[in-house]
Amino acid sequence: MHLSLDLPNAQATKDLGIQLGQILAPGSVVLLNGDLGTGKTTLIQGLGKGLGIEDIIDSPTFTLINEYADGRVPLYHLDLYRLTPAQVPSLNPELYWEGVEVSPGIVAIEWAEKLPYSPPEVLILDLSYQGEQRRVEFWSKGPLGKAALEAIAQKNQRPHADLSC
């Protein structure tokens, strides 16, 4: 499934993240792609707010993974910017989306295009600039992603017909 939304400013990007935080189910994986400055971290800050996380959410560019356990469900924020695809497996990101050593939560991965593999169910957000505003293209794989896309389309007053596979 696919959905596109225009985001006229940083607050709209954060608001979209808040919506995601309110609707995503535990076990959801959000993969964020986009150039520097397209709003990946801003969206995840909104996601944390939507989950009820009160901590300041910064991009874990140097720490690589930040864990926030005080929300509706935990948020696991990974940033792969400084890594090559060959280095990513050493982080064992699958432990987060499989819930092997952590409580089931929401996994949000910046620079996800560097993942050499991904979980079977994902919500993919491609952020870009279209002129002076940001644009997000959503793609989903699996029922959790599809449900999230349908809820986002509904919250943003997009008829079901705007969703395409």
Side-chain angles (χ1 to χ4, degrees):
M1 301 195 82
H2 174 256
L3 172 70
S4 297
L5 292 175
D6 291 328
L7 303 169
N9 53 44
Q11 187 60 51
T13 304
K14 193 172 210 171
D15 290 345
L16 176 61
I18 291 169
Q19 290 176 18
L20 284 170
Q22 293 169 342
I23 64 169
L24 287 174
S28 296
V29 179
V30 181
L31 305 180
L32 295 104
N33 301 309
D35 292 334
L36 285 170
T38 54
K40 295 179 296 295
T41 302
T42 300
L43 193 136
I44 293 174
Q45 289 168 339
L47 174 63
K49 186 172 183 178
L51 288 169
I53 294 169
E54 295 183 16
D55 292 341
I56 294 172
I57 295 178
D58 290 320
S59 187
T61 302
F62 295 98
T63 58
L64 305 178
I65 302 171
N66 286 340
E67 299 180 5
Y68 304 93
D70 64 340
R72 174 176 63 86
V73 297
L75 172 63
Y76 306 108
H77 181 191
L78 289 73
D79 186 329
L80 307 180
Y81 178 72
R82 296 175 45 85
L83 301 178
T84 67
Q87 293 171 316
V88 171
S90 66
L91 287 178
N92 298 309
E94 67 279 358
L95 296 178
Y96 288 93
W97 62 69
E98 291 173 359
V100 173
E101 295 181 9
V102 296
S103 298
I106 309 298
V107 180
I109 304 175
E110 293 189 52
W111 300 96
E113 62 269 19
K114 294 187 178 193
L115 276 173
Y117 50 84
S118 69
E121 285 199 43
V122 295
L123 181 61
I124 301 168
L125 283 69
D126 291 323
L127 290 113
S128 62
Y129 272 108
Q130 301 292 316
E132 294 296 314
Q133 68 181 2
R134 294 174 176 152
R135 181 173 191 82
V136 61
E137 303 279 337
F138 290 88
W139 308 88
S140 69
K141 188 168 65 168
L144 288 177
K146 180 181 177 187
L149 267 183
E150 289 173 348
I152 288 295
Q154 193 171 49
K155 282 183 175 270
N156 289 279
Q157 301 169 347
R158 298 290 179 112
H160 184 74
D162 280 352
L163 296 173
S164 60
C165 294

